[in-house]
Amino acid sequence: MRVFELIAPCHFGLEAVLKREILDLGYEISSVEDGKVTFLGDWEAVCYANIFLRTTERILVKVGAFTARSFDELFEGTKALPWEQFLPEDGKFWVTKANSIKSKLFSPSDIQSIMKKAMVERMKQAYGRSTFPETGASYPVRVSLYKDVVTVCLDTSGESLHKRGYRKLTAKAPISETLAAALIMLTPWKEDRVFVDPFCGSGTFVIEAAMMAAHIAPGVNRNFQAESWTNLIDPEIWEDVREEARGMEQRDASTDIQGYDIDGEIIRAARENAKLAGVEHMIHFQQRPVSLMSHPKKYGFLITNPPYGERIGDKEELFSLYSELGKRFAALDSWSAYLITSYEDTERCMGRKADKNRKIYNGMMKTYFYQFLGPKPPKRQEKEIEA
């Protein structure tokens, strides 16, 4: 099978997590840049990446790259790409998204229009016809311009990969599934350790943790754009990869994962989402304020996305909430806490300086991932923690 450069976008600051995931799948990394990891793979790799990767937003197949400082150069560069190797005669093709940074060409609509015309001209030459019905499968194109270098890709995923298919009901300020998974993977949490989210909202953190514990591939129950590309990918490959993913599942895994929220309606929504994800039996949900958070076991993990102005507007109320969280965390025996928030007084409220602090963009909002590290359990006890 032909090998391509496959581009996997991710949240800024979390490239190392995605890189480790790709290496674990067995693929070679060709470059790591801000917000994306590029690796080498064939069409089978497209299937594996879409189904198994937890922390990328989509999988793009790089068609080509060239320099363009004028619209004429953009047209000719696009026309020179081998579109006929990807697009069938009846394929529907268009530039679904164009973004430009530090480049002379910056109008997305003009970039999209000119590239579409250039693609049509190339297809005319390749197929010897003047019009195209575009009645077949869809082949959306994504293009990025950075310092006048145009990178052109086919989007194999379609809907963003954060849409696992389980989150039908959401809280007002949910964290995305891909971001939640990446943040959990930044911690040393394993399925035999306690996991508590005292502000669980619609349940994203605890559901992602349970899916990891059960080895449920994040994309196993959803569809992808490239499944309709039968001219490029044999449908049996998709079936084989899904079958392999389902064979790895351990839905009877023993866990202690707990999600709390003060809002009873939100807890009901979280429980329904967990049911859709197939992990409801692995998570204990409860309507409970943070002031009542406690746990008898040692060496647990508190991982959460607390309110930071979205649901609570009063700064005094926010300070009180975070201070209560700090008190409850201090009362836990040998635990670690991980908080993603934009609230500037987090450390003061928690009563200590974070051991580590990482800047993360949650959507367009700049946040910080505060890491308050507890002691490691003695090695001889690590396997006995949950006994």
Side-chain angles (χ1 to χ4, degrees):
M1 254 191 211
R2 182 180 169 189
V3 173
F4 305 93
E5 280 193 297
L6 304 178
I7 299 174
C10 64
H11 285 83
F12 283 92
L14 296 172
E15 298 84 3
V17 179
L18 175 55
K19 177 184 175 182
R20 187 169 69 243
E21 270 203 288
I22 294 169
L23 289 172
D24 286 345
L25 271 184
Y27 297 109
E28 180 185 344
I29 305 292
S30 58
S31 69
V32 178
E33 302 167 69
D34 286 347
K36 67 179 180 181
V37 179
T38 302
F39 63 104
L40 305 178
D42 55 15
W43 289 115
E44 184 183 69
V46 167
C47 303
Y48 273 99
N50 273 296
I51 289 172
F52 279 95
L53 294 179
R54 299 183 189 277
T55 63
T56 184
E57 299 302 310
R58 60 186 67 250
I59 300 298
L60 307 173
V61 175
K62 185 176 175 180
V63 177
F66 55 89
T67 299
R69 297 183 179 87
S70 69
F71 285 120
D72 284 341
E73 289 179 342
L74 179 67
F75 182 93
E76 293 301 328
T78 303
K79 184 181 172 185
L81 297 176
W83 292 107
E84 68 280 1
Q85 294 179 16
F86 299 91
L87 310 179
E89 201 168 342
D90 66 344
K92 180 181 179 182
F93 54 95
W94 74 104
V95 180
T96 183
K97 187 173 180 62
N99 62 65
S100 177
I101 299 172
K102 299 179 181 177
S103 299
K104 289 183 173 60
L105 305 180
F106 56 84
S107 167
S109 59
D110 289 336
I111 291 167
Q112 289 169 298
S113 175
I114 287 166
M115 289 186 69
K116 169 72 175 188
K117 291 174 183 176
M119 292 167 68
V120 170
E121 287 304 308
R122 174 75 184 211
M123 296 285 280
K124 283 180 181 179
Q125 292 177 2
Y127 288 107
R129 59 182 299 169
S130 58
T131 59
F132 295 88
E134 298 198 44
T135 53
S138 295
Y139 297 77
V141 175
R142 288 182 170 248
V143 58
S144 64
L145 284 76
Y146 181 68
K147 293 183 178 179
D148 300 321
V149 175
V150 184
T151 302
V152 186
C153 300
L154 282 172
D155 178 8
T156 74
S157 302
E159 277 199 312
S160 173
L161 295 181
H162 80 267
K163 295 185 177 180
R164 320 285 206 215
Y166 67 72
R167 198 165 73 179
K168 303 299 182 185
L169 303 165
T170 65
K172 291 180 183 177
I175 190 169
S176 79
E177 293 87 333
T178 47
L179 178 54
L183 294 178
I184 294 170
M185 292 166 73
L186 269 180
T187 79
W189 177 79
K190 301 295 180 189
E191 57 265 26
D192 61 345
R193 305 280 289 274
V194 183
F195 185 118
V196 173
D197 181 354
F199 303 100
C200 74
S202 52
T204 309
F205 264 131
V206 290
I207 292 171
E208 289 294 319
M211 289 178 69
M212 290 178 194
H215 301 286
I216 297 173
V220 72
N221 293 317
R222 57 157 284 176
N223 295 316
F224 308 96
Q225 186 68 60
E227 286 187 75
S228 63
W229 300 356
T230 53
N231 63 314
L232 301 173
I233 309 178
D234 188 329
E236 285 190 8
I237 298 177
W238 289 103
E239 292 175 19
D240 290 345
V241 176
R242 278 201 175 90
E243 186 177 340
E244 181 179 337
R246 291 194 173 105
M248 296 168 64
E249 293 177 0
Q250 298 176 13
R251 292 176 181 262
D252 58 349
S254 176
T255 59
D256 188 347
I257 300 174
Q258 304 183 22
Y260 308 133
D261 201 284
I262 197 170
D263 188 328
E265 285 296 319
I266 288 295
I267 284 293
R268 279 187 280 276
R271 191 174 283 117
E272 183 62 28
N273 290 340
K275 185 177 180 181
L276 290 170
V279 294
E280 182 188 18
H281 63 290
M282 299 175 66
I283 306 169
H284 173 67
F285 287 107
Q286 187 176 351
Q287 181 180 358
R288 180 190 290 191
V290 67
S291 59
L292 296 180
M293 184 184 71
S294 64
H295 202 290
K297 294 178 182 176
K298 298 178 68 170
Y299 307 114
F301 285 75
L302 189 160
I303 304 177
T304 191
N305 174 38
Y308 37 93
E310 297 294 328
R311 287 183 284 178
I312 298 180
D314 185 352
K315 285 196 172 184
E316 205 171 288
E317 190 177 349
L318 207 58
F319 184 85
S320 175
L321 183 75
Y322 276 72
S323 296
E324 189 61 50
L325 176 63
K327 289 177 189 174
R328 301 319 304 159
F329 171 57
L332 295 168
D333 189 355
S334 305
W335 278 48
S336 299
Y338 299 83
L339 285 67
I340 179 171
T341 179
S342 65
Y343 183 52
E344 62 274 12
D345 281 331
T346 295
E347 291 174 311
R348 184 155 68 101
C349 292
M350 292 295 287
R352 57 182 275 196
K353 188 172 176 60
D355 298 281
K356 294 182 181 178
N357 193 356
R358 184 185 289 248
K359 182 165 67 176
I360 303 287
Y361 278 89
N362 186 0
M364 298 302 291
M365 181 180 291
K366 183 171 70 173
T367 62
Y368 292 91
F369 191 47
Y370 293 94
Q371 302 169 57
F372 301 92
L373 309 181
K376 293 181 180 179
K379 285 191 176 181
R380 65 181 182 278
Q381 293 181 12
E382 281 183 354
K383 294 183 180 179
E384 301 172 6
I385 292 172
E386 300 305 314

